[in-house]
Amino acid sequence: MSSFLFLITTLLSLLASFAVADGNKTLGVTYDGRSLIINGKREILFSGSIHYTRSTPDMWPDLIQKAKRGGLNVIQTYVFWNIHEPVQGQYNFQGQYDLVKFIKMIGEHGMYASLRLGPFIQAEWNHGGLPYWLREVQNITFRSDNEPFKYHMKKYVTMIIKKMKNEKLFASQGGPIILVQIENEYSTIQLAYREKGNKYVQWTGNLAVGMNIGVPWVMCKQKDAPDPIINTCNGRYCGDTFTGPNKPNKPSLWTENWTAQFRVYGDPPSQRSVEDLAFSTARFISRNGTLINYYMYHGGTNFGRTSANFVTTRYYDEAPLDEFGLQREPKWGHLKDLHRALKLCKKALLWGYPSVKKLGQDLEAIVYEGHGACAAFLSNNSTYMEKTISFRGRNYYLPSKSISILPDCQTVVYNTQTIVSQHNSRNFVPSVVANKRLSWDWETYTESIPTFEQLENKATNPLELFNLTKDTTDYAWYSMIITLGRGDLPMRANASPVLIVASLGHALVAFVNGEYVGNGHGSHLDKSFVFRKPIKLKEGPNHIQILGSVVGFPDSGAYMEKRFAGPHRVEILGLNTGTLELTKNRWAHQVGLYGEEAKIFTLGGLNKVKWTKIEGKRPALTWFKTHFDAPEGNHPIAIQMNRMGKGMIWINGQSIGRYWISYLSPLGQPTQSEYHIPRSYLKPTGNLMVILEEEEEARPEEIKFVVVDRDTICSYISDIHPPPVQSWGSKNNVSEYTANNRKASAVLTCPDFKVITNVQFASYGDSIVLLGETYLSNSLRERAFNQELGSLSQCEEESGRSSEVRLQVV
């Protein structure tokens, strides 16, 4: 957005908003060119995505509380159509799918809610949230000006809106919902549908506005969003990439500020530094933005089969609240400080007049001033050079690629590159209680490999895998018979026939005459692959048996209803009679495995098969079961799937998701080794764990239960660090110091009300250690350093010791 447009938009919004702020006392949400106006008041909104389906109801209160303590005032969530209507006309809003309970809980914590209705959501969620049965509607084309799709979409959207209205959850009814999104990033596929895409956008907008919910609608990444719908930005740097609202009377909103990146099997962990995240947030706010949503704020878990193709069970683990709901520091704390610093600028941002001044190459000052308030953002946009600038008669040091926030236009309270908040590291501690029985209490059951005669679903070709499984299972059997004569087989001892299977994805396990041959798979980038393995054939009938599997349905792109998977060409090379093409040789099929059909992962189905002790070889497609007691304490729980391959895990009959240890990233490590088990899934004793392992030679004896904490904390400050932003407050809507102490200091605070039991320092010069109540020795308290100060502490559940250490540079 140019500076000129930026200023004109702001001035227009000022003229409109004074009347609203003075005269509108009714419930509801409106907006102008500056911000959303909630119940008659302008707001700066810091939002975070927490998906109710990716956590459990017992986790919700803690997640919401931590978000609020982190400076958020809005929780954003998608609504998941395929979860709520898995079968056409049959609805599910129970347990962790209780959307109403989740929204009410947000309101009970004094926070707002933002509802991303979709109904297509992408979200790295199975089928982008669209239920499978929608694919089978005659003549349907997803997300287009297509009457069958529009009929079902309207029916679903109307149902959700009615449910929210009946529970009085919209802000216009006194509830917490202040914003609703229709569709999702449609512009990325709009051109594929040509005029039908343009018509669909207009139809979707009219559908939304016609719901009369009393709060604004948004469309993300949609420049042609029809009035009065607000077009919003998604991305990493919306302060620079967003061209702005499509009308001057709409505010600048950021619906997805990516805190890292979701994980897919085969990739290394994604990273995004909190310094970069804070810079992008401060830049957007400084350029007239008034709502930012962090996607994701809580990492979450893709339980069961809910993840899209190749997406890991662990979702956005690098979020401020990790997969387990623990505070990832310094990401959580540095953003908390940022939110506080920006809120100190609230009056100037919402009511002041902006100006932009260039201070040199890559340097600028954006100032909001008026109505007795002044706030400044000093920016160094250079990615490699630190700078010292002069602003209003004072010199200010700016690290590279950083923004300093001055809520009084004089004093730096926060710099995006300079972290004052503490750091922590995550620990996976083996559970003594849960691991006691795992080394000896394992039993197994191996799936039988079906022959052509045993399977009823016959066809000329191998059937397409998505349509065959209908999203009821990951697995489907393909089997055929080939009869060979003695002259067909290789005569040389060192020659073997080779089985070749060309597959559209995602994975397979191959057998010949019931004997395991091998496995193959594609990737998130390229689902297709070609399986090639030598095989042993015999004179007479030979059974070719392939277990095809999917790893989630697609979640993005045009014409999703026309995607395909599964084997589509099968050959045998190396026979004396030449290459044998088997694709059109008549195939038999079976959906799913017997163990799934019998539900042998539940107490009710456990005795439908004969379980035996582990002895000798571990064949492919083996089920393993054991019992264990709940781990000690109240920390989150995970299971480390050491020495396993690929499969699924059930705890007391509930699926915690797919695991895939054998698929290594380029770093030579599994993409995900630990898998989250919610404590609400467990009983104190006698918990049942059942594992389906697809590959050979798995060693469940190596599996370990761990409890998860972030109890190792540390901090670092120097003389260029500003004092903690907590030393500032607001009086009469004007920011000012509220603390006597204005020196840089680091505060170490234990999470979850624990206490510090051990402190170690690495330092230079002189320091002061301030403790309310301490067990630190005098030698520790007197250890010296001057320009830089650092510390490392360990937190434990122990009474009588201090939970906080404050270190100050002197």
Side-chain angles (χ1 to χ4, degrees), residues 13 17 20-21 28-47 73-74 112-114 171 176-180 215-218 228-230 232 249-255 288-292 346 350-351:
S13 69
S17 59
V20 171
V29 185
T30 58
Y31 61 80
D32 60 19
R34 180 58 70 87
S35 73
L36 296 180
I37 300 168
I38 303 174
N39 301 331
K41 296 175 62 177
R42 281 184 172 170
E43 294 288 352
I44 295 179
L45 300 167
F46 300 105
S47 172
N73 46 16
V74 184
Y112 299 123
S114 173
I177 300 175
I178 61 169
L179 208 62
V180 183
V215 304
W217 289 85
V218 301
I229 294 175
I230 306 167
T232 68
N249 66 325
K250 297 179 182 180
S252 292
L253 311 180
W254 191 352
T255 37
N288 207 37
T290 49
L291 180 149
I292 287 181
K346 180 176 178 179
L350 294 180
W351 298 99

Side-chain angles (χ1 to χ4, degrees), residues 519-579:
N519 61 81
H521 60 82
S523 67
H524 180 259
L525 188 62
D526 187 359
K527 283 75 178 173
S528 300
F529 65 98
V530 178
F531 172 88
R532 294 184 178 90
K533 291 284 184 179
I535 57 176
K536 293 180 180 180
L537 296 173
K538 63 182 181 178
E539 186 177 349
N542 291 266
H543 294 271
I544 309 299
Q545 299 140 316
I546 299 169
L547 182 69
S549 65
V550 298
V551 189
F553 273 55
D555 70 330
S556 61
Y559 300 104
M560 278 178 49
E561 72 282 356
K562 295 178 173 61
R563 305 292 178 81
F564 304 107
H568 67 94
R569 186 175 178 86
V570 183
E571 295 180 344
I572 296 179
L573 303 184
L575 296 174
N576 282 346
T577 47
T579 298

Side-chain angles (χ1 to χ4, degrees), residues 707-765:
V707 291
V708 191
D709 67 51
R710 288 187 175 272
D711 289 351
T712 303
I713 58 176
C714 64
S715 187
Y716 168 86
I717 60 171
S718 72
D719 57 352
I720 67 168
H721 284 65
V725 69
Q726 289 80 5
S727 60
W728 275 71
S730 179
K731 184 177 181 181
N732 297 324
N733 289 322
V734 177
S735 300
E736 61 179 24
Y737 270 117
T738 57
N740 294 326
N741 187 357
R742 301 187 182 184
K743 293 183 179 294
S745 60
V747 179
L748 294 178
T749 304
C750 288
D752 302 322
F753 309 104
K754 297 176 184 175
V755 296
I756 294 173
T757 58
N758 180 37
V759 178
Q760 300 174 356
F761 292 114
S763 57
Y764 305 92

Side-chain angles (χ1 to χ4, degrees), residues 339-371:
H339 303 148
R340 183 175 177 87
L342 290 171
K343 287 175 183 177
L344 290 170
C345 305
K346 180 176 178 179
K347 184 177 182 181
L349 286 168
L350 294 180
W351 298 99
Y353 300 90
S355 62
V356 181
K357 183 178 181 180
K358 295 295 181 182
L359 302 176
Q361 185 177 355
D362 296 322
L363 301 171
E364 68 179 3
I366 298 177
V367 179
Y368 288 80
E369 193 165 13
H371 298 276

Side-chain angles (χ1 to χ4, degrees), residues 56 83 133 140 153 156 190 200 223 231 258 354 390 443 471 513 559 575 612 638 696 769:
T56 54
I83 284 297
W133 58 262
I140 198 166
M153 174 180 171
Y156 169 74
Q190 187 170 341
Y200 175 70
K223 292 181 182 179
N231 61 300
W258 302 325
S390 177
E443 293 183 309
D471 200 22
N513 297 321
Y559 300 104
L575 296 174
T612 60
E696 275 193 323
V769 179

